[in-house]
Amino acid sequence: MKVKVTENCMGDRRCNDLCPEVFEYNEDELKSRVKFEEIPGEYQAIVRQAAEECGAQAIIIEDD
Ligand code: SF4
């Protein structure tokens, strides 16, 4: 599973709060970024939840 955050991110950091192990805020780009190239299995469920809850629909999941 791969995940990316698009330019639609509005920077409310909700995903950071939900799963700080995977998402962090990039102060330079003013949007969140994903820490992993490949999402570890233990975080995949919470990442799916973050994608569903993202108000900007900015979290895009690419399943293998
Ligand atoms: S929840 Fe969505 S809009 Fe909010 S910081 Fe994360 S990616 Fe950006």
Side-chain angles (χ1 to χ4, degrees), residues 11-30:
D12 64 0
R13 307 187 197 200
R14 184 167 177 163
C15 56
N16 301 210
D17 292 339
L18 191 64
C19 188
E21 294 85 357
V22 173
F23 298 99
E24 66 183 0
Y25 193 69
N26 184 324
E27 297 284 354
D28 294 329
E29 296 186 10
L30 299 179

Side-chain angles (χ1 to χ4, degrees), residues 5 8-16 25 32 50 54-56 58-59:
V5 175
N8 290 342
C9 174
M10 56 188 173
D12 64 0
R13 307 187 197 200
R14 184 167 177 163
C15 56
N16 301 210
Y25 193 69
S32 289
C54 173
I59 300 174

Side-chain angles (χ1 to χ4, degrees), residues 1-63:
M1 176 202 245
K2 291 184 170 62
V3 176
K4 65 181 179 183
V5 175
T6 73
E7 297 300 319
N8 290 342
C9 174
M10 56 188 173
D12 64 0
R13 307 187 197 200
R14 184 167 177 163
C15 56
N16 301 210
D17 292 339
L18 191 64
C19 188
E21 294 85 357
V22 173
F23 298 99
E24 66 183 0
Y25 193 69
N26 184 324
E27 297 284 354
D28 294 329
E29 296 186 10
L30 299 179
K31 69 184 193 73
S32 289
R33 64 177 291 274
V34 179
K35 296 180 182 179
F36 296 96
E37 180 72 23
E38 190 73 31
I39 304 299
E42 66 261 42
Y43 298 137
Q44 291 187 2
I46 194 79
V47 165
R48 288 186 197 282
Q49 183 182 340
E52 288 176 11
E53 294 185 4
C54 173
Q57 298 183 315
I59 300 174
I60 306 298
I61 294 174
E62 297 172 2
D63 283 307

